[in-house]
Amino acid sequence: MCAQFHPSEDLVVSASLDQSVRVWDISGLRKKNVAPGPGGLEDRLRNPNQTDLFGTSDAIVKHVLEGHDRGVNWVSFHPTLPLIVSGADDRQIKLWRMNESKAWEVDTCRGHYNNVSCVQFHPRQELILSNSEDKSIRVWDMSKRKEAGARNGLPACGLKLASLVQRLQTAYQMTTQGKFAEAVDRFRSILLSVPLLVVDTKQEITEAQQLIEICREYIVGLSMELKRKEMPKENLEQQKRLCEMAAYFTHCNLQPVHLILTLRTALNLFFKLKNYKTAASFARRLLELGPKPDVAQQTRKILQACEKNPTDTHELKYDQHNPFDICAATYTAIYRGKPVAKCPLSGACYLPEYKGQVCRVTQVTEIGKDCIGLRISQLQFR
């Protein structure tokens, strides 16, 4: 599948589908020549028994490296050290060391969940770069190989779960300040960073998955609110649509301080639309969150007014008692039991007609694509 010359020695390393890696000594090739003579090269080729054109042993096998369980796709020499790295269809990357008399396996790096297509040493740093049919590229830190122990090597990655949590706090602050567009970008950046994490415990895996869910809820909710603010409100139908979107926003899983803001918006819009019954439900939900005294006082006044006439003047596409998901493309409700397509990374929901399109939340993943899901720990491969 692959062969490579050594950068300075008379060696060639080859990878094969027979699951082996071989190192060849080609020093004998340097001795090959065609001596000048009266007949020249053509005469020598017509009489091969009279010349040493290819010799008796052009290249000999110096080492056979066996350890992969499937065919080996790629192998490379280290530019300066007596090391070899290989990648195979067993999804593993193996590091080998050699000397004049033998070669042996020193480590195995696991993390890809499909065939490893190519693997190379960095020319100056202690890094290994690999790519795979799992559509990922990974950078492995050789300097941490001994520390990795039973984990068999970890991808070199500067991202830590704690740093993403810190970035989440910044995104929360932007939301509180009303900087919704900037907050959406920040939440999306955090979400797309999660697959690059490497964690060790089940608790950290759970926290990373929760981080994705938090970012999804905020991206969908804030994007919907930005869209709502751009929409016209001249006629009744447009006003009804604005109320629906404001109501949907109150069902996003947000921090209490932000949920209070969404409920205040929905409460005011529904009260102006004279949908007092639904407005009263928003008021009660708001009071349960313990808002500031002035907000609580104003909310109670509106609630009292709504309770005097607990009816909805207009019919809207909003049923607070029937669980639903929000379509991240149309910002409409997908009620329980209705067909839905989901983003494989963010979990964002879409109407079935959006299957195959790019997710609006991540902007990189395919809606409805079937895959194995988030893999950020060795625990998930056991």
Side-chain angles (χ1 to χ4, degrees), residues 5-36:
F5 287 102
H6 191 280
S8 59
E9 300 182 30
D10 292 333
L11 299 174
V12 169
V13 63
S14 62
S16 171
L17 293 181
D18 66 5
Q19 305 178 13
S20 73
V21 172
R22 293 173 184 257
V23 179
W24 305 77
D25 183 348
I26 59 170
S27 57
L29 290 174
R30 289 187 176 275
K31 303 175 183 178
K32 303 307 165 190
N33 64 81
V34 178

Short mmCIF file of all heavy atoms in Angstrom, two decimals, residues 5-36:
data_model
loop_
_atom_site.label_atom_id
_atom_site.label_comp_id
_atom_site.label_asym_id
_atom_site.label_seq_id
_atom_site.Cartn_x
_atom_site.Cartn_y
_atom_site.Cartn_z
N PHE A 5 11.49 5.83 1.08
CA PHE A 5 12.94 5.79 1.30
C PHE A 5 13.27 6.42 2.65
O PHE A 5 12.61 7.37 3.08
CB PHE A 5 13.67 6.55 0.19
CG PHE A 5 13.71 5.85 -1.13
CD1 PHE A 5 12.86 6.24 -2.15
CD2 PHE A 5 14.60 4.81 -1.36
CE1 PHE A 5 12.89 5.60 -3.38
CE2 PHE A 5 14.64 4.17 -2.58
CZ PHE A 5 13.77 4.56 -3.59
N HIS A 6 14.33 5.90 3.27
CA HIS A 6 14.84 6.52 4.49
C HIS A 6 15.50 7.84 4.11
O HIS A 6 16.14 7.94 3.06
CB HIS A 6 15.84 5.59 5.18
CG HIS A 6 16.21 6.02 6.56
ND1 HIS A 6 17.13 7.01 6.81
CD2 HIS A 6 15.77 5.61 7.78
CE1 HIS A 6 17.24 7.19 8.12
NE2 HIS A 6 16.42 6.34 8.73
N PRO A 7 15.38 8.88 4.93
CA PRO A 7 15.95 10.18 4.54
C PRO A 7 17.46 10.22 4.42
O PRO A 7 18.00 11.10 3.73
CB PRO A 7 15.46 11.12 5.67
CG PRO A 7 15.14 10.22 6.82
CD PRO A 7 14.64 8.94 6.21
N SER A 8 18.17 9.27 5.08
CA SER A 8 19.64 9.35 5.03
C SER A 8 20.33 8.00 4.84
O SER A 8 21.50 7.96 4.43
CB SER A 8 20.18 10.01 6.32
OG SER A 8 19.78 9.27 7.46
N GLU A 9 19.65 6.91 5.12
CA GLU A 9 20.27 5.60 5.02
C GLU A 9 19.74 4.83 3.82
O GLU A 9 18.71 5.19 3.23
CB GLU A 9 20.02 4.80 6.31
CG GLU A 9 20.58 5.45 7.55
CD GLU A 9 20.36 4.62 8.79
OE1 GLU A 9 20.31 3.37 8.66
OE2 GLU A 9 20.22 5.19 9.89
N ASP A 10 20.44 3.74 3.49
CA ASP A 10 20.03 2.91 2.35
C ASP A 10 18.95 1.93 2.79
O ASP A 10 19.14 0.70 2.80
CB ASP A 10 21.25 2.15 1.79
CG ASP A 10 22.25 3.09 1.12
OD1 ASP A 10 21.81 4.14 0.63
OD2 ASP A 10 23.45 2.76 1.11
N LEU A 11 17.80 2.48 3.16
CA LEU A 11 16.68 1.68 3.64
C LEU A 11 15.39 2.11 2.96
O LEU A 11 15.23 3.28 2.59
CB LEU A 11 16.52 1.82 5.16
CG LEU A 11 17.69 1.37 6.05
CD1 LEU A 11 17.40 1.74 7.50
CD2 LEU A 11 17.94 -0.12 5.90
N VAL A 12 14.50 1.16 2.82
CA VAL A 12 13.14 1.43 2.34
C VAL A 12 12.19 0.72 3.31
O VAL A 12 12.45 -0.41 3.72
CB VAL A 12 12.91 0.90 0.90
CG1 VAL A 12 11.43 0.95 0.55
CG2 VAL A 12 13.72 1.73 -0.10
N VAL A 13 11.11 1.40 3.66
CA VAL A 13 10.10 0.77 4.50
C VAL A 13 8.82 0.63 3.68
O VAL A 13 8.47 1.52 2.91
CB VAL A 13 9.84 1.58 5.80
CG1 VAL A 13 9.27 2.96 5.50
CG2 VAL A 13 8.95 0.80 6.74
N SER A 14 8.14 -0.51 3.81
CA SER A 14 6.94 -0.75 3.02
C SER A 14 5.80 -1.22 3.91
O SER A 14 6.01 -1.87 4.94
CB SER A 14 7.21 -1.79 1.93
OG SER A 14 7.56 -3.03 2.51
N ALA A 15 4.58 -0.87 3.51
CA ALA A 15 3.37 -1.32 4.21
C ALA A 15 2.56 -2.18 3.26
O ALA A 15 2.51 -1.92 2.05
CB ALA A 15 2.55 -0.12 4.67
N SER A 16 1.89 -3.19 3.81
CA SER A 16 1.20 -4.13 2.95
C SER A 16 -0.13 -4.56 3.55
O SER A 16 -0.33 -4.52 4.78
CB SER A 16 2.08 -5.37 2.71
OG SER A 16 1.35 -6.40 2.06
N LEU A 17 -1.02 -5.03 2.69
CA LEU A 17 -2.29 -5.57 3.14
C LEU A 17 -2.13 -6.94 3.81
O LEU A 17 -3.11 -7.48 4.33
CB LEU A 17 -3.26 -5.68 1.96
CG LEU A 17 -3.72 -4.35 1.34
CD1 LEU A 17 -4.70 -4.61 0.20
CD2 LEU A 17 -4.39 -3.47 2.39
N ASP A 18 -0.91 -7.49 3.81
CA ASP A 18 -0.67 -8.74 4.54
C ASP A 18 -0.47 -8.48 6.04
O ASP A 18 -0.06 -9.37 6.78
CB ASP A 18 0.52 -9.50 3.96
CG ASP A 18 1.86 -8.77 4.15
OD1 ASP A 18 1.88 -7.71 4.82
OD2 ASP A 18 2.87 -9.27 3.63
N GLN A 19 -0.77 -7.23 6.47
CA GLN A 19 -0.74 -6.82 7.88
C GLN A 19 0.66 -6.61 8.42
O GLN A 19 0.85 -6.49 9.63
CB GLN A 19 -1.50 -7.82 8.77
CG GLN A 19 -2.94 -8.07 8.32
CD GLN A 19 -3.65 -9.09 9.18
OE1 GLN A 19 -3.18 -9.46 10.26
NE2 GLN A 19 -4.80 -9.57 8.72
N SER A 20 1.65 -6.56 7.55
CA SER A 20 3.03 -6.42 8.01
C SER A 20 3.65 -5.12 7.49
O SER A 20 3.19 -4.53 6.51
CB SER A 20 3.88 -7.60 7.55
OG SER A 20 4.13 -7.52 6.15
N VAL A 21 4.71 -4.71 8.19
CA VAL A 21 5.58 -3.61 7.75
C VAL A 21 6.97 -4.21 7.59
O VAL A 21 7.44 -4.96 8.46
CB VAL A 21 5.61 -2.48 8.80
CG1 VAL A 21 6.66 -1.44 8.43
CG2 VAL A 21 4.24 -1.82 8.92
N ARG A 22 7.61 -3.91 6.49
CA ARG A 22 8.96 -4.46 6.24
C ARG A 22 9.96 -3.34 5.99
O ARG A 22 9.64 -2.36 5.31
CB ARG A 22 8.94 -5.42 5.06
CG ARG A 22 8.13 -6.69 5.35
CD ARG A 22 7.97 -7.57 4.12
NE ARG A 22 7.10 -8.70 4.44
CZ ARG A 22 7.52 -9.94 4.67
NH1 ARG A 22 8.81 -10.22 4.59
NH2 ARG A 22 6.66 -10.90 4.95
N VAL A 23 11.15 -3.53 6.52
CA VAL A 23 12.26 -2.62 6.28
C VAL A 23 13.27 -3.35 5.39
O VAL A 23 13.69 -4.47 5.69
CB VAL A 23 12.94 -2.20 7.60
CG1 VAL A 23 14.12 -1.27 7.32
CG2 VAL A 23 11.92 -1.52 8.52
N TRP A 24 13.61 -2.70 4.28
CA TRP A 24 14.48 -3.32 3.27
C TRP A 24 15.84 -2.61 3.23
O TRP A 24 15.90 -1.38 3.25
CB TRP A 24 13.84 -3.21 1.89
CG TRP A 24 12.45 -3.78 1.80
CD1 TRP A 24 11.29 -3.22 2.26
CD2 TRP A 24 12.09 -5.03 1.22
NE1 TRP A 24 10.23 -4.03 2.00
CE2 TRP A 24 10.68 -5.16 1.36
CE3 TRP A 24 12.79 -6.07 0.59
CZ2 TRP A 24 9.97 -6.26 0.90
CZ3 TRP A 24 12.11 -7.17 0.13
CH2 TRP A 24 10.70 -7.26 0.29
N ASP A 25 16.88 -3.41 3.15
CA ASP A 25 18.24 -2.89 2.96
C ASP A 25 18.52 -2.84 1.47
O ASP A 25 18.54 -3.89 0.80
CB ASP A 25 19.24 -3.79 3.68
CG ASP A 25 20.67 -3.27 3.59
OD1 ASP A 25 20.92 -2.35 2.79
OD2 ASP A 25 21.53 -3.79 4.33
N ILE A 26 18.71 -1.65 0.95
CA ILE A 26 18.92 -1.49 -0.50
C ILE A 26 20.34 -1.02 -0.81
O ILE A 26 20.61 -0.47 -1.89
CB ILE A 26 17.90 -0.49 -1.10
CG1 ILE A 26 18.03 0.88 -0.42
CG2 ILE A 26 16.48 -1.02 -0.96
CD1 ILE A 26 17.25 1.97 -1.12
N SER A 27 21.24 -1.24 0.14
CA SER A 27 22.61 -0.78 -0.09
C SER A 27 23.24 -1.47 -1.29
O SER A 27 24.13 -0.90 -1.95
CB SER A 27 23.46 -1.04 1.17
OG SER A 27 23.43 -2.42 1.52
N GLY A 28 22.76 -2.68 -1.59
CA GLY A 28 23.31 -3.38 -2.74
C GLY A 28 23.05 -2.68 -4.05
O GLY A 28 23.78 -2.87 -5.03
N LEU A 29 22.01 -1.87 -4.11
CA LEU A 29 21.70 -1.17 -5.35
C LEU A 29 22.76 -0.16 -5.72
O LEU A 29 22.89 0.21 -6.90
CB LEU A 29 20.34 -0.47 -5.22
CG LEU A 29 19.11 -1.39 -5.16
CD1 LEU A 29 17.86 -0.57 -4.88
CD2 LEU A 29 18.95 -2.16 -6.46
N ARG A 30 23.48 0.33 -4.72
CA ARG A 30 24.52 1.32 -5.03
C ARG A 30 25.66 0.71 -5.87
O ARG A 30 26.41 1.43 -6.52
CB ARG A 30 25.10 1.90 -3.75
CG ARG A 30 24.12 2.82 -3.01
CD ARG A 30 24.81 3.51 -1.84
NE ARG A 30 23.94 4.45 -1.18
CZ ARG A 30 23.74 5.70 -1.57
NH1 ARG A 30 24.39 6.16 -2.65
NH2 ARG A 30 22.94 6.50 -0.91
N LYS A 31 25.80 -0.60 -5.80
CA LYS A 31 26.89 -1.27 -6.52
C LYS A 31 26.52 -1.58 -7.96
O LYS A 31 27.33 -2.09 -8.72
CB LYS A 31 27.26 -2.57 -5.80
CG LYS A 31 27.64 -2.35 -4.34
CD LYS A 31 27.88 -3.69 -3.65
CE LYS A 31 28.21 -3.48 -2.17
NZ LYS A 31 28.40 -4.78 -1.46
N LYS A 32 25.26 -1.34 -8.33
CA LYS A 32 24.83 -1.71 -9.67
C LYS A 32 25.41 -0.76 -10.71
O LYS A 32 25.45 0.44 -10.53
CB LYS A 32 23.30 -1.69 -9.77
CG LYS A 32 22.64 -2.61 -8.74
CD LYS A 32 23.21 -4.02 -8.80
CE LYS A 32 22.84 -4.82 -7.58
NZ LYS A 32 23.57 -6.09 -7.53
N ASN A 33 25.88 -1.35 -11.77
CA ASN A 33 26.41 -0.53 -12.86
C ASN A 33 26.39 -1.36 -14.13
O ASN A 33 26.25 -2.58 -14.10
CB ASN A 33 27.84 -0.08 -12.55
CG ASN A 33 28.80 -1.25 -12.46
OD1 ASN A 33 29.25 -1.75 -13.48
ND2 ASN A 33 29.08 -1.69 -11.23
N VAL A 34 26.54 -0.69 -15.24
CA VAL A 34 26.70 -1.34 -16.53
C VAL A 34 28.04 -0.90 -17.07
O VAL A 34 28.23 0.26 -17.42
CB VAL A 34 25.56 -0.94 -17.50
CG1 VAL A 34 25.79 -1.59 -18.85
CG2 VAL A 34 24.23 -1.35 -16.92
N ALA A 35 29.00 -1.80 -17.04
CA ALA A 35 30.36 -1.43 -17.46
C ALA A 35 30.36 -1.08 -18.94
O ALA A 35 29.71 -1.73 -19.75
CB ALA A 35 31.31 -2.58 -17.18
N PRO A 36 31.11 -0.07 -19.28
CA PRO A 36 31.19 0.28 -20.70
C PRO A 36 31.87 -0.82 -21.50
O PRO A 36 32.73 -1.53 -20.99
CB PRO A 36 32.03 1.57 -20.70
CG PRO A 36 32.81 1.49 -19.42
CD PRO A 36 31.95 0.80 -18.43
#
